[in-house]
Amino acid sequence: MPAPFNTIDLSTLALKPGGGRRLDLELIPEPLELGGETYDFGAEPAPGRLDVSRTSSGHAMRLELRAKLFGRCMRCLTPAEFEVEVESREIDQPGTGDEELASPYVDGGELDIAAWAHDAIALALPQSLLCREDCAGLCPECGVALNDLDEEHVHEREPDPRWAKLRELTD
Ligand SMILES: [Zn+2]
Ligand SMILES: [Zn+2]
């Protein structure tokens, strides 16, 4: 496996217009802050692939990445692991004078893969990160995590006196 790297100087690829290069890479993206929680990528670098092709006045790039994210389930708050798959494209044609065509991740010919991966992952994540699709969350009464309880979790409740009153009225 190649060593982890976070930036790459595109000029070192020495691509001719129309030419392209595929690079296998390993990345540890910066942790994400979501809803006041930190989600990090652990110690294992995430495997990815970068395709760079040279256009007439710049580069077109495509990043594919598979990563594991570690943090708390947003519903039951237990530590969990989340799989993320990302595919993202960027174009950098600095010479055209068109802001839209200058990639925010390329600076002086240097592509910041880690920053790009970070943003692409943030965009690709679902609205809520759940330990499992049907996570039962926390009991609203006592706060216990409901997923792994063997028995049905119910709280004995005093019957609401208003219902008794209502029953009297309708009888
Ligand atoms: Zn959960
Ligand atoms: Zn409870």
Side-chain angles (χ1 to χ4, degrees):
M1 285 298 243
F5 61 95
N6 291 334
T7 62
I8 179 171
D9 185 346
L10 294 171
S11 68
T12 61
L13 299 176
L15 297 173
K16 296 198 169 66
R21 201 48 203 285
R22 165 168 288 185
L23 298 163
D24 287 318
L25 49 90
E26 295 197 304
L27 270 184
I28 301 182
E30 291 286 310
L32 297 165
E33 295 287 335
L34 300 167
E37 289 284 336
T38 302
Y39 293 83
D40 68 58
F41 295 89
E44 288 281 303
R49 172 169 285 172
L50 176 70
D51 287 302
V52 181
S53 33
R54 183 78 203 266
T55 61
S56 52
S57 57
H59 293 91
M61 296 153 289
R62 178 168 171 274
L63 179 69
E64 267 181 274
L65 198 66
R66 273 223 321 270
K68 272 198 185 116
L69 201 58
F70 301 89
R72 286 172 191 268
C73 168
M74 289 180 176
R75 198 177 282 165
C76 72
L77 308 179
T78 36
E81 205 178 292
F82 312 93
E83 300 267 351
V84 217
E85 269 186 60
V86 165
E87 197 218 308
S88 178
R89 286 163 199 271
E90 278 290 314
I91 286 189
D92 187 59
Q93 313 224 89
T96 57
D98 185 342
E99 285 276 307
E100 296 266 296
L101 293 177
S103 168
Y105 308 113
V106 180
D107 186 20
E110 185 116 330
L111 171 64
D112 189 340
I113 308 172
W116 179 13
H118 173 275
D119 293 355
I121 290 167
L123 284 176
L125 289 178
Q127 199 97 56
S128 41
L129 291 167
L130 300 181
C131 60
R132 59 192 212 204
E133 219 176 300
D134 62 345
C135 169
L138 302 174
C139 168
E141 295 273 314
C142 67
V144 73
L146 297 172
N147 282 340
D148 303 317
L149 299 181
D150 295 331
E151 293 160 25
E152 206 193 338
H153 181 77
V154 282
H155 289 266
E156 289 298 327
R157 259 178 233 252
E158 292 290 312
D160 191 322
R162 283 170 301 176
W163 288 112
K165 199 85 190 157
L166 198 63
R167 219 166 288 132
E168 268 168 38
L169 291 174
T170 50
D171 277 346

